[in-house]
Amino acid sequence: MIEIRGLHKSFGSHEVLKGIDVSLPKGKVLVIIGPSGSGKSTLLRCFNLLEVPDRGSIKLGDHAFEFREGARISGKDIIALRKATGMVFQSLNLFPHMTALENVIEAQVTVQKRSKSEARARAKAQLEKVGLADKADSYPHKLSGGQQQRVAIARAMAVDPQVLLFDEPTSALDPELVGEVLKVMKQLAAEGMTMAIVTHEMKFAADVADHVLLMDDGRIIEQGSPQEVLHHPKTPRAVQFLNRLHGKSEE
Amino acid sequence: MRRTYPLVCLLALIALLLGASCGIKPDSASPAPADSAAPSSPSTQGVLGAIKASGKLKIGTEGTYAPFTYHDKDGRLVGFDVEIARALCERLGVEAEFIETPWDGIFAGLDSKRFDAVFNEVAIRDDRKEKYDFSDPYIVSKAVLLVHEDNKEIKKLTDLKGKKSAQSLTSNLKDIAQANGAEIVGTEGFNQAVDLLLSKRADATINDNLSFLDLKKQRPDVKIKAVDETDEASSSAALFRKGNDDLVQAVNEALAAIKSDGTYMAISEKYFGADVSK
Amino acid sequence: MDDRQIQIIKDTFWPLLEAGVIFTLPLTLITFALGLIIAVITALVRLSDWMVPKFIASFYVWVIRGTPLLVQLFIIFYGLPSAGIILSPYVSAVIGLSLSVGAYGSEIARAAVLSIQRGQWEAAYSLGMSRTQALRRIILPQAARVSVPPFGNSFIALVKDTSLVSVITFSEMFRKSQEYVALYYEPLILYSEAAVIYLAFSSVLSVLQHRLEKRLERFSAV
């Protein structure tokens, strides 16, 4: 499903991705963890080209890209890729001037060119799936963080993406609201959705991931099954990071 | 509905704009119809010929300078200069079309051919003669020195030395004030000068005697008195762009005619109760 | 105040108000509408990647904001004829005022668009929207709301800026008050009347602005 080879990305003189290789087969869940500044968000944002890498290659489904210094990527190709992916953000990013339902309808009509009635029906179904059918006509500012994030998931799902990307989806939520979002995500995984998730929620990662990447300073320093990476890390940096994290989650 | 509403508003506004640019004419002066206002062309005709052909003489005037060019209670454009201009145009067989312009725009308006003559108490001065042509004078007036009623210090023009005099910056009266050593406080017109005097921000102002008379007529209680007048009288005449000799000549002939047939005197009596041609 | 002055007020107030309604208000509405369109287009051009149009837009904003409105009107009306372009006072007034509103307004619009969080753009892009779609559907509606107070401000200032067009021989309410001053020699009274009428117009606009803001509030907690 997703093949990434030799990805490099710099912001100015600061190199953030120093040669990343990732494979994510269809229907599997990839979880990316690591300290801040490790480049995990940047990597995830390369999946839908919100960040354009300087060097390397990305293959996602039928879309393939080669990145080279000075080579321009066509806007049309980027949009085509983005139509195949959906993203859920740390800062929620619902459209405040639209109701929950309208948020979920929007891209279906504008991007996918579906009819309004079809879009509406699908939107209702999606909101039902995330448990918010009764909030369809509410504006985002009236919803809790957890509810907003679930709407965001519905919005991303409504355009039938091949891959769902999650960029620290619960990091900005109050602890008691985190659960409802993770529940939806687990359900999606169980239904066979291909997902790539950046998160700090270790227990969730352990439950849901098929494959875990631990990044540090722009490189992947550990990868493997959740058991391997989380409980039997090999590199000292990984040990350090996980101890700190475990220390925290035991509080 | 929510989507079409702004569009409808926009279309309505555009329609209003188009309608207005054709329809609305600000009261007295009707601006020449949109862009076709180029004064008619062939230089072989000469400006006089073109004017006679179109049937109108476009005249620049302020409309805010009583009693020479102003609007009466009913809003009609009247005044000594205005009526003289109308009488002259009648003699020439054309209609007088007044384009009201503040003083600051009057020379620019003449230069850019928005009008072909100016009747606005334009005093005949050498520097103006260099750039423009004057008709024969149609009014002669002395300038008076005005001060606040309570002012005991300034009794004659020479007393202006070191004092503040309110004057319009492009007027010859300013030169007279300066020649007498006054410090100039710039104003936009007679009314403002009056205000400055009343509020004692200026000690004096030199202005047209006839304007002062009109002020006293309108505001009999105003606390301003005239204490001196200039020896030399200044003459004002109609102003034209250079190169329109035929027009200037025709106007001069018409002026002589209305002086000899009594039209001039009638207007002069009406506004000033005296003969202002001397 | 004596009887004469009271009589003056009685004689002049209605004609002044009439002049305001017939000339000042429509001029304000039309030039604001046009200025708003110019402002949004200019702002979008300056936010785009097209080099030449961007340069032209920036140049326009720089020139108009850097010169007095009075001078601009003067140049359009008295200066253009020497280049063969002769415009009526009304058209000159509309052009001069619209360009002015457009230039200042474009900065308002630009700031409003820039104030929308990046996350909104990213969410739109991640759903597969193009830049134009994102602008049209997501960003501009939000920017519009943010821009209501500063544009309301612009509008109210414009009502009074229209008093300048008497310089280019377009007769509106302020010019009418000047005519009365010449007749009655009572500048303070007459200009105060004009001020009261301008205040009335501005107040109506303030109320409308407030109503519009209230209507747009339902989208947001702020």
Side-chain angles (χ1 to χ4, degrees):
Chain A
M1 177 86 260
I2 303 186
E3 287 287 332
I4 292 182
R5 294 274 162 261
L7 222 56
H8 287 260
K9 173 76 185 168
S10 300
F11 290 112
S13 55
H14 178 223
E15 200 180 10
V16 168
L17 296 178
K18 297 180 181 164
I20 304 287
D21 297 321
V22 183
S23 292
L24 176 57
K26 190 161 148 70
K28 300 292 182 198
V29 175
L30 174 71
V31 171
I32 308 171
I33 60 178
S36 33
S38 56
K40 45 191 205 296
S41 271
T42 308
L43 175 59
L44 189 74
R45 288 153 64 89
C46 286
F47 282 44
N48 67 353
L49 293 180
L50 276 186
E51 302 291 355
V52 176
D54 301 323
R55 257 188 298 149
S57 68
I58 294 181
K59 220 163 106 51
L60 195 151
D62 297 325
H63 309 271
F65 293 85
E66 282 287 331
F67 304 102
R68 263 183 305 274
E69 307 280 340
R72 298 203 65 212
I73 309 289
S74 117
K76 280 180 70 183
D77 292 340
I78 295 183
I79 290 181
L81 172 69
R82 288 177 182 160
K83 284 185 186 171
T85 59
M87 192 168 220
V88 175
F89 298 87
Q90 181 175 359
S91 48
L92 316 177
N93 291 340
L94 286 185
F95 304 136
H97 58 300
M98 299 180 180
T99 62
L101 190 65
E102 285 166 352
N103 259 276
V104 182
I105 289 176
E106 179 60 32
Q108 294 187 66
V109 171
T110 305
V111 178
Q112 311 276 339
K113 310 287 190 218
R114 291 180 192 153
S115 74
K116 279 208 93 168
S117 49
E118 191 197 342
R120 182 170 259 271
R122 286 188 183 230
K124 283 201 166 136
Q126 282 298 341
L127 283 177
E128 180 97 40
K129 265 192 90 181
V130 301
L132 288 171
D134 57 333
K135 297 285 185 198
D137 295 322
S138 298
Y139 281 96
H141 74 276
K142 290 245 172 0
L143 303 173
S144 75
Q147 290 170 327
Q148 288 188 48
Q149 196 62 299
R150 285 190 275 150
V151 173
I153 295 175
R155 178 176 69 174
M157 287 294 298
V159 293
D160 296 329
Q162 294 172 31
V163 185
L164 260 189
L165 308 169
F166 293 82
D167 190 356
E168 301 200 37
T170 57
S171 299
L173 298 178
D174 289 335
E176 60 267 24
L177 301 173
V178 169
E180 63 196 64
V181 176
L182 295 182
K183 185 159 163 266
V184 171
M185 289 168 72
K186 276 190 192 165
Q187 192 188 340
L188 287 173
E191 287 170 5
M193 188 76 219
T194 314
M195 295 157 75
I197 307 172
V198 171
T199 186
H200 293 302
E201 298 284 336
M202 289 305 139
K203 191 171 174 313
F204 171 74
D207 285 342
V208 141
D210 296 306
H211 199 75
V212 174
L213 294 181
L214 199 162
M215 286 182 69
D216 184 45
D217 196 30
R219 280 182 243 273
I220 299 175
I221 59 174
E222 299 275 348
Q223 57 175 308
S225 74
Q227 263 294 12
E228 290 166 1
V229 175
L230 297 175
H231 298 298
H232 304 288
K234 301 184 197 70
T235 55
R237 278 288 289 157
V239 174
Q240 211 180 12
F241 171 67
L242 288 166
N243 280 342
R244 260 202 326 246
L245 223 48
H246 279 147
K248 260 179 73 179
S249 61
E250 254 137 44
E251 275 162 25
Chain B
M1 186 55 207
R2 188 180 295 162
R3 288 228 194 138
T4 54
Y5 179 66
L7 187 62
V8 167
C9 282
L10 187 59
L11 286 174
L13 281 169
I14 291 178
L16 192 61
L17 165 64
L18 289 175
S21 61
C22 306
I24 291 186
K25 291 184 185 334
D27 43 36
S28 60
S30 62
D35 309 38
S36 63
S40 47
S41 41
S43 37
T44 50
Q45 238 184 344
V47 109
L48 179 61
I51 289 169
K52 292 215 165 168
S54 71
K56 320 194 224 252
L57 173 62
K58 295 205 284 252
I59 299 173
T61 193
E62 270 186 287
T64 51
Y65 188 19
F68 307 104
T69 157
Y70 67 106
H71 286 259
D72 66 13
K73 283 192 175 36
D74 303 314
R76 281 184 311 227
L77 181 65
V78 295
F80 180 77
D81 290 42
V82 168
E83 294 205 25
I84 292 288
R86 284 202 180 115
L88 291 173
C89 283
E90 206 182 313
R91 274 278 161 177
L92 291 171
V94 296
E95 189 194 319
E97 184 185 320
F98 293 97
I99 296 179
E100 295 183 47
T101 319
W103 179 252
D104 292 322
I106 269 188
F107 291 93
L110 187 63
D111 290 339
S112 57
K113 299 194 185 156
R114 295 230 171 236
F115 30 83
D116 299 312
V118 175
F119 280 77
N120 202 87
E121 291 296 297
V122 186
I124 301 178
R125 273 170 31 178
D126 290 331
D127 61 341
R128 289 178 183 158
K129 277 195 195 161
E130 277 177 42
K131 218 185 147 202
Y132 303 97
D133 283 338
F134 281 96
S135 68
D136 294 331
Y138 60 76
I139 187 171
V140 167
S141 62
K142 293 205 165 194
V144 284
L145 178 61
L146 303 172
V147 297
H148 194 282
E149 238 172 34
D150 303 337
N151 188 312
K152 309 256 187 283
E153 294 177 343
I154 301 180
K155 298 216 170 61
K156 30 190 210 314
L157 278 165
T158 42
D159 292 335
L160 276 179
K161 200 165 159 68
K163 299 275 190 285
K164 296 203 192 117
S165 187
Q167 307 295 150
S168 171
L169 292 173
T170 51
S171 143
N172 55 306
L173 299 170
K174 165 184 140 248
D175 301 332
I176 298 176
Q178 272 178 329
N180 280 291
E183 185 192 317
I184 303 297
V185 178
T187 71
E188 289 193 327
F190 183 49
N191 290 315
Q192 205 188 352
V194 168
D195 263 350
L196 287 170
L197 267 193
L198 291 173
S199 60
K200 303 204 180 159
R201 285 206 172 83
D203 302 306
T205 181
I206 302 181
N207 244 288
D208 194 286
N209 184 38
L210 301 169
S211 298
F212 176 58
L213 289 175
D214 194 65
L215 168 69
K216 277 288 195 185
K217 203 163 60 166
Q218 280 291 339
R219 287 176 71 175
D221 301 328
V222 75
K223 292 188 179 346
I224 293 192
K225 61 184 179 188
V227 293
D228 197 2
E229 66 175 23
T230 56
D231 291 328
E232 337 86 56
S234 79
S235 310
S236 297
L239 196 69
F240 304 90
R241 289 184 298 278
K242 279 204 187 297
N244 293 333
D245 296 334
D246 53 353
L247 177 58
V248 179
Q249 174 136 351
V251 167
N252 286 339
E253 281 165 8
L255 184 56
I258 64 171
K259 278 185 177 169
S260 66
D261 76 2
T263 315
Y264 181 92
M265 268 314 291
I267 301 176
S268 182
E269 285 284 335
K270 175 175 172 191
Y271 281 94
F272 304 113
D275 178 4
V276 292
S277 63
K278 335 195 191 317
Chain C
M1 215 193 294
D2 60 35
D3 292 328
R4 183 184 145 266
Q5 289 170 321
I6 294 178
Q7 187 58 41
I8 290 177
I9 296 179
K10 284 193 192 160
D11 290 337
T12 57
F13 192 77
W14 180 249
L16 282 177
L17 181 59
E18 208 183 355
V21 168
I22 296 178
F23 296 112
T24 300
L25 273 186
L27 183 62
T28 309
L29 289 170
I30 290 169
T31 48
F32 188 72
L34 288 175
L36 196 55
I37 295 171
I38 297 174
V40 173
I41 294 176
T42 308
L44 291 178
V45 167
R46 290 184 73 190
L47 289 167
S48 77
D49 296 318
W50 308 320
M51 299 261 36
V52 173
K54 231 170 128 164
F55 176 75
I56 296 175
S58 300
F59 181 74
Y60 150 62
V61 171
W62 174 64
V63 168
I64 299 295
R65 291 201 309 169
T67 50
L69 177 55
L70 187 60
V71 172
Q72 292 162 20
L73 289 169
F74 219 83
I75 292 177
I76 293 173
F77 190 70
Y78 293 114
L80 288 184
S82 49
I85 305 175
I86 304 181
L87 303 166
S88 74
Y90 185 73
V91 171
S92 307
V94 171
I95 291 178
L97 290 171
S98 308
L99 287 178
S100 186
V101 171
Y104 287 97
S106 77
E107 287 296 272
I108 295 174
R110 208 165 62 88
V113 170
L114 290 174
S115 75
I116 306 302
Q117 303 167 317
R118 244 189 113 201
Q120 291 293 305
W121 289 96
E122 291 185 344
Y125 286 152
S126 72
L127 289 165
M129 289 196 206
S130 66
R131 191 158 190 271
T132 312
Q133 288 171 325
L135 260 178
R136 201 166 44 92
R137 302 289 305 163
I138 308 303
I139 304 298
L140 285 180
Q142 296 182 56
R145 179 178 166 262
V146 170
S147 64
V148 168
F151 270 126
N153 210 37
S154 239
F155 200 177
I156 288 171
L158 181 63
V159 172
K160 290 156 295 155
D161 282 342
T162 56
S163 62
L164 290 176
V165 302
S166 56
V167 159
I168 57 174
T169 76
F170 183 76
S171 187
E172 36 60 75
M173 176 175 70
F174 186 68
R175 161 82 194 182
K176 194 138 194 74
S177 64
Q178 288 176 315
E179 287 171 15
Y180 280 134
V181 167
L183 181 58
Y184 294 116
Y185 294 95
E186 293 280 6
L188 191 58
I189 291 181
L190 283 156
Y191 289 144
S192 299
E193 282 180 75
V196 164
I197 297 174
Y198 277 119
L199 185 59
F201 290 164
S202 303
S203 305
V204 169
L205 291 178
S206 292
V207 167
L208 290 177
Q209 176 189 331
H210 183 73
R211 289 249 189 103
L212 183 58
E213 283 183 45
K214 277 234 130 18
R215 265 205 87 201
L216 296 175
E217 242 172 43
R218 67 199 150 103
F219 300 141
S220 145
V222 177

